[in-house]
Amino acid sequence: MSLDKTLYSNANIYDGNTIHPNYSLAISDGRIMGFGQSSDFKSSEFDHTIDCQGNLITESFIDSHSHILSYASNLTKPHINYQSIKSKSDLINQIEDIVKTSREYWIKIYGLQMQDRQIYINKTDLDEISNEVPIVIYLDSLHGNLLNSKALEIIGVTEYTNEPTGITFDRQVQNGRLSGYIFEGDQLIDEYIPKSSSSDLKKSLDKILNLYQQNGYSIINDASITNDLLKFQFLSSICSNKREFPKIIFMPGYPNLHEFSREKFFYKYSIGSLSLGHCKIMLTASSGQCVPDIETLSAQVNKSHMAGFPVAIHAVDNLSVKAAIKAISMNPFENDRIEHASELFDEDIENIKKNNINVSTHPSFIYERGDLYLKEKNHAYINSLYRIGSLINSGITVGYSSDAPVSSINPLIGMYANLTRSTKLGEILNYAEKVCIQNTLKMLTENNKTLTNVKSERAIRIGENSKMLLIDIDVNNIDDRFLNTINPPIKWIN
């Protein structure tokens, strides 16, 4: 019996290295029969012919840094809607409405933004809403929380409590008292807060995985520092027999690495479509100095390597990036990477290259947060931001990540931001660092295969049954009408 044959004609085909204009792709029984100049194929020889009209064909995408369990948990709780907020009183009224209608004792709310000082709130404002039930509001960055006095009391934080290592208790400038903001304190807070039910979390996770699939992703990395054995086992119950893709790479948090070593779950260990990835290490400088210090950080990197895990170090600001480079250089290992690397100077790029360090970063932040960055009015700071072009031009392997739910998973936002360096308000952020669509596609595919060590994933090659996408975009000019949607014009080919 002859196999069904389909021709995708007149496309721009990205083969993992180059975009080929006016190419055609021939598929039979899910496998690639051939691809080349459209003039080399005759539509009469195929059962079906699809005129792509210049649209893009590429292999599917990999997200090298996201937080899918946090994303799923977010869906089960109320969010702050900033589209209806014009003032501080609007924000307080919205929070008050959520508290009044909640049937839960712990009130969990997501999506608080701190950037606009005109609508800044603290625990005093939350106490006026209620000091009888605990309220915790998660920042949109997922790196901090605002708690009212009742919540602080329950977790045991007072004006005189010492800060645990790596956690910052923010204080009010005018009186030195606690503001209610706790940064990098999830592990301190979470043990007191009731978890979402497994059934609710599974439903939300299913929605999240479908959403990733709709956006063209076949592999997702969960890069949360709180990743532990219980979360891995929860995901394994879903991934062991349910899904072929998106596949999930679970990055154990360094504080919980011993749990995996104890169970002999090592790097690349897999259950169905779930596998173990890099060890996640958190490095911050929110207090003005790096936490952990360089000696502790180096020991963490070395211990991860001794357990067989490459590391992925969270380092946003330049002080943290420099410390991450130093710690990795002191403990050479294959495939270590820095996550974010948002602020870079020339010497940092040289040292990243010198020490064979990979980088996973988020181009979508240029578009979504660029206007806030530009408010700084500090040219040295602005010129250090998201130097993706310089990293790529230096020969460093740079992977694309969404950092969802902090940023959108829509990959067209990152393509647009890389190409134009444009913000939401149309301002330009460090245009010299622009990246062409071809190199952004490489970040999403081949580079992320290197970062996440999944080189066995199939590219567009003759004889392969590659997972491919047909995307309704002009590769020379991303239309900004596609940026404000979670359902971009992406279709799976096989």
Side-chain angles (χ1 to χ4, degrees):
M1 185 176 72
S2 62
L3 298 175
D4 192 64
K5 297 188 294 184
T6 301
L7 179 68
Y8 291 85
S9 65
N10 303 316
N12 284 289
I13 298 179
Y14 174 70
D15 65 0
N17 186 52
T18 303
I19 295 177
H20 301 279
N22 196 28
Y23 258 45
S24 290
L25 176 74
I27 295 178
S28 177
D29 193 32
R31 292 191 177 275
I32 300 172
M33 295 170 55
F35 68 99
Q37 292 287 343
S38 291
S39 58
D40 295 339
F41 296 85
K42 296 179 180 179
S43 60
S44 60
E45 297 176 354
F46 292 85
D47 300 296
H48 311 282
T49 299
I50 298 172
D51 186 353
C52 298
Q53 300 180 342
N55 289 338
L56 173 69
I57 291 178
T58 176
E59 61 183 289
S60 59
F61 300 145
I62 299 170
D63 189 341
S64 57
H65 176 117
S66 65
H67 306 276
I68 57 172
L69 285 175
S70 295
Y71 203 165
S73 182
N74 283 2
L75 289 186
T76 67
K77 302 299 178 184
H79 284 68
I80 295 171
N81 177 15
Y82 275 91
Q83 291 184 343
S84 61
I85 292 174
K86 306 297 181 185
S87 64
K88 178 177 177 178
S89 61
D90 288 341
L91 175 59
I92 292 174
N93 289 337
Q94 192 176 129
I95 295 170
E96 187 171 17
D97 287 342
I98 293 172
V99 172
K100 285 181 177 178
T101 57
S102 176
R103 296 180 179 179
E104 299 181 357
Y105 178 62
W106 270 92
I107 312 296
K108 293 174 66 176
I109 305 171
Y110 286 88
L112 181 64
Q113 299 175 4
M114 290 188 65
Q115 296 88 347
D116 190 343
R117 302 302 295 182
Q118 298 300 314
I119 55 175
Y120 170 85
I121 61 172
N122 61 23
K123 75 177 177 69
T124 302
D125 300 299
L126 295 188
D127 288 344
E128 290 179 359
I129 294 172
S130 177
N131 58 11
E132 296 179 354
V133 297
I135 303 172
V136 56
I137 307 181
Y138 292 75
L139 300 187
D140 64 343
S141 68
L142 296 184
H143 290 290
N145 313 81
L146 172 61
L147 292 79
N148 69 346
S149 294
K150 185 66 174 180
L152 290 171
E153 175 190 336
I154 291 173
I155 69 171
V157 173
T158 72
E159 295 292 343
Y160 309 102
T161 304
N162 292 325
E163 293 178 345
T165 301
I167 297 176
T168 300
F169 298 157
D170 184 58
R171 293 184 178 272
Q172 301 174 60
V173 175
Q174 61 271 32
N175 57 25
R177 298 182 65 81
L178 293 173
S179 69
Y181 285 96
I182 297 180
F183 297 102
E184 310 298 351
D186 279 356
Q187 290 180 303
L188 171 66
I189 298 168
D190 284 355
E191 65 176 288
Y192 295 93
I193 301 178
K195 304 294 186 293
S196 301
S197 70
S198 293
S199 59
D200 285 346
L201 203 54
K202 285 182 178 180
K203 289 177 184 177
S204 296
L205 186 60
D206 201 45
K207 291 179 182 178
I208 297 301
L209 294 177
N210 285 332
L211 192 58
Y212 270 100
Q213 190 170 331
Q214 291 167 22
N215 280 265
Y217 292 97
S218 57
I219 299 176
I220 317 160
N221 286 256
D222 190 299
S224 301
I225 188 65
T226 56
N227 280 349
D228 59 15
L229 186 60
L230 281 176
K231 291 179 179 177
F232 181 76
Q233 291 169 336
F234 170 76
L235 283 175
S236 69
S237 69
I238 295 171
C239 298
S240 58
N241 54 21
K242 185 175 182 181
R243 284 181 171 270
E244 178 188 2
F245 71 98
K247 297 177 181 177
I248 299 173
I249 298 176
F250 185 88
M251 297 165 57
Y254 176 78
N256 310 305
L257 184 62
H258 66 283
E259 298 176 353
F260 296 87
S261 297
R262 182 187 66 221
E263 298 296 324
K264 294 183 169 50
F265 291 171
F266 302 119
Y267 180 59
K268 304 303 293 180
Y269 173 83
S270 64
I271 301 175
S273 59
L274 175 69
S275 62
L276 285 178
H278 288 56
C279 177
K280 176 66 176 283
I281 295 177
M282 180 66 71
L283 176 59
T284 66
S286 58
S287 60
Q289 59 184 8
C290 281
V291 178
D293 59 34
I294 188 61
E295 290 78 14
T296 304
L297 178 63
S298 178
Q300 291 180 358
V301 172
N302 181 58
K303 189 171 182 179
S304 300
H305 291 169
M306 293 293 289
F309 286 82
V311 297
I313 302 180
H314 169 104
V316 176
D317 60 275
N318 189 250
L319 186 63
S320 297
V321 170
K322 283 179 165 56
I325 295 170
K326 184 174 181 180
I328 291 174
S329 70
M330 295 166 64
N331 302 275
F333 200 77
E334 185 178 1
N335 212 18
D336 285 338
R337 71 176 186 252
I338 295 175
E339 313 266 89
H340 301 280
S342 305
E343 302 173 19
L344 295 173
F345 296 100
D346 288 346
E347 65 269 21
D348 305 313
I349 295 173
E350 292 171 6
N351 287 327
I352 289 172
K353 173 66 176 176
K354 177 182 176 182
N355 289 286
N356 298 312
I357 301 170
N358 300 327
V359 173
S360 172
T361 194
H362 330 295
S364 57
F365 277 37
I366 298 164
Y367 175 77
E368 295 185 339
R369 298 179 177 233
D371 294 301
L372 296 171
Y373 300 146
L374 289 170
K375 285 183 179 180
E376 294 291 329
K377 304 296 183 185
N378 182 325
H379 291 295
Y381 167 72
I382 290 171
N383 290 336
S384 75
L385 290 173
Y386 293 100
R387 297 190 61 189
I388 302 171
S390 292
L391 287 166
I392 291 173
N393 293 336
S394 297
I396 295 165
T397 302
V398 185
Y400 183 107
S401 60
S402 69
D403 201 20
V406 179
S407 184
S408 172
I409 66 172
N410 180 350
L412 301 189
I413 295 177
M415 291 186 198
Y416 177 84
N418 258 352
L419 182 65
T420 66
R421 300 289 297 198
S422 179
T423 69
K424 273 189 176 180
L425 296 180
E427 300 295 328
I428 302 300
L429 179 68
N430 204 359
Y431 188 70
E433 295 296 332
K434 68 175 182 175
V435 176
C436 67
I437 297 298
Q438 181 171 288
N439 280 339
T440 303
L441 289 170
K442 194 168 187 177
M443 291 172 65
L444 279 157
T445 56
E446 299 305 310
N447 286 5
N448 269 346
K449 289 179 188 178
T450 298
L451 260 69
T452 58
N453 198 12
V454 289
K455 295 180 182 179
S456 60
E457 290 295 309
R458 299 177 177 92
I460 296 181
R461 301 284 188 274
I462 294 174
E464 299 286 5
N465 61 343
S466 310
K467 296 182 179 70
M468 294 176 290
L469 310 170
L470 176 61
I471 308 179
D472 183 11
I473 58 169
D474 177 351
V475 295
N476 298 307
N477 182 28
I478 303 294
D479 193 327
D480 60 9
R481 66 190 169 94
F482 297 137
L483 305 185
N484 296 314
T485 177
I486 57 172
N487 294 303
I490 296 174
K491 296 179 180 178
W492 287 83
I493 291 179
N494 62 345

